[in-house]
Amino acid sequence: MHVLLVKTSSMGDVLHTLPAVTDAMKAIPDLRIDWVIEEQFSQIPSWHPIVDQVIPVAIRRWRKNWFARHIRQERYAFINKIQQRHYDLIIDAQGLLKSAALVTRFAKGNKHGPDYKSARESFASWFYHCRHAIDNQQHAVERTRQLFAKSFNYERPQSKGDYGIAQHFLYRSEATTAPYLVFLHATTRSNKYWPEAHWIQLIQWVQATDLKIKLPWGNEHEHQRAIRLAGDFPHVEVLPKLPLQQIAEILFNATAVVSVDTGLSHLTAALDRPNITLFGPTDPALIGGYGKNQIALTSKHKKMHTLTASIIITELEKIIS
């Protein structure tokens, strides 16, 4: 059975789709999946054993200059690519008009997706042959698992979902001379940042242990923040800018991770690493870390500065010990 999956972005949403893919793999022995995904996240599906072909799309980049000649050529090439196969099933797990209109509309096969009340953008449901009611008052992972179960007509497993990618990194794991923590300090929204003074207090506490700290970053603003946090601390390393594969390997080998609400925090969860995630304005019940060894610390006032370093230290001591 060959299936086309449409889940293009964001990083967290893409990762939250993996447990549903694992469910389907276990329920349907001959299943193979082609996955349409935004180009910057195209490595992620390749880590799952059931994914046959990753088909990058560039909606985010295309819409900046939609009618430019080279953009039109890229769109036509993409549409031609997804039309080369008649799929047994097409699942649009994105539930947005942009994914339904550009991808689902042109792909060949029986099209499934959330119904009018369940889709993130209701009118996207018009493009599906089969529309499924999904309970939106559950974690994003469970919503997608429910969509897959209804689309493939199997019972959704009652056990915790399995991302299915940790094994990929097990064979790429490298022994390190010194155990380390990873601090994921960067996120897309300013109200989800944890104050730099709090990070520095945590860094000072770690200095008394045998642990090192690694600070990744993705753009120059985040790079400068990492440099400020590292200061003159000898146990803190500001990493170079790395591709997602290498960041995943660093996360996989970490003793523990402390993170704000960001895509890399969800990647940490997908790799089953101990992860303390700090939540202010966002609700972890619906989009928080899902999986093993995930600790959500939530501000009662929805303000990140109210989460003190001492709270994180208490949780880190339990992991380290």
Side-chain angles (χ1 to χ4, degrees), residues 83-250:
Q83 289 184 326
Q84 289 178 1
R85 182 188 299 275
H86 189 285
Y87 290 97
D88 298 298
L89 201 69
I90 298 165
I91 300 179
D92 185 353
Q94 194 72 28
L96 296 176
L97 271 172
K98 66 178 183 181
S99 59
L102 181 63
V103 184
T104 313
R105 177 162 67 101
F106 292 105
K108 300 175 182 177
N110 191 20
K111 300 164 186 176
H112 291 246
D115 67 9
Y116 186 84
K117 292 183 179 180
S118 307
R120 291 166 65 183
E121 293 179 354
S122 300
F123 293 126
S125 64
W126 290 359
F127 293 90
Y128 313 140
H129 298 125
C130 300
R131 305 172 183 90
H132 304 288
I134 306 299
D135 178 9
N136 287 328
Q137 298 305 308
Q138 56 183 335
H139 194 280
V141 169
E142 296 301 336
R143 294 199 298 270
T144 309
R145 294 179 80 194
Q146 185 178 20
L147 174 62
F148 269 58
K150 290 190 173 185
S151 299
F152 286 106
N153 194 29
Y154 61 74
E155 288 291 326
R156 176 174 44 163
Q158 296 301 307
S159 57
K160 196 80 169 179
D162 176 8
Y163 291 92
I165 65 171
Q167 197 75 4
H168 174 86
F169 293 93
L170 183 63
Y171 299 114
R172 292 162 176 77
S173 178
E174 296 182 2
T176 56
T177 54
Y180 62 87
L181 305 173
V182 178
F183 286 177
L184 300 177
H185 57 91
T187 186
T188 54
R189 285 168 45 186
S190 59
N191 63 349
K192 295 196 294 184
Y193 275 103
W194 200 41
E196 291 185 25
H198 290 14
W199 280 116
I200 291 172
Q201 289 176 23
L202 187 58
I203 288 168
Q204 290 172 332
W205 175 82
V206 173
Q207 191 171 17
T209 72
D210 293 328
L211 294 167
K212 305 295 184 182
I213 297 172
K214 296 181 184 291
L215 300 177
W217 53 276
N219 57 42
E220 188 54 32
H221 173 74
E222 296 170 2
H223 185 205
Q224 292 304 315
R225 181 183 177 89
I227 291 172
R228 290 194 302 271
L229 293 178
D232 295 324
F233 292 111
H235 65 299
V236 182
E237 176 189 4
V238 177
L239 297 171
K241 191 170 185 179
L242 298 171
L244 190 57
Q245 171 79 28
Q246 287 183 255
I247 292 175
E249 291 171 2
I250 288 170

Side-chain angles (χ1 to χ4, degrees), residues 279-281 298-306:
F279 292 93
T298 307
S299 167
K300 295 179 181 178
H301 307 288
K302 299 189 178 297
K303 302 290 185 181
M304 292 294 287
H305 72 269
T306 65

Side-chain angles (χ1 to χ4, degrees), residues 15 18 163-166 265-273 290 294:
L15 290 161
L18 290 169
Y163 291 92
I165 65 171
S265 179
H266 297 296
L267 178 55
T268 306
L271 296 171
D272 297 333
R273 301 313 301 151
Y290 177 101
Q294 301 305 298

Side-chain angles (χ1 to χ4, degrees), residues 48-62:
H48 199 286
I50 203 67
V51 175
D52 189 30
Q53 183 176 204
V54 179
I55 306 176
V57 68
I59 298 174
R60 291 182 174 184
R61 177 168 55 83
W62 292 345

Side-chain angles (χ1 to χ4, degrees), residues 9-23:
S9 63
S10 59
M11 185 191 296
D13 288 346
V14 168
L15 290 161
H16 285 159
T17 305
L18 290 169
V21 173
T22 303
D23 289 347

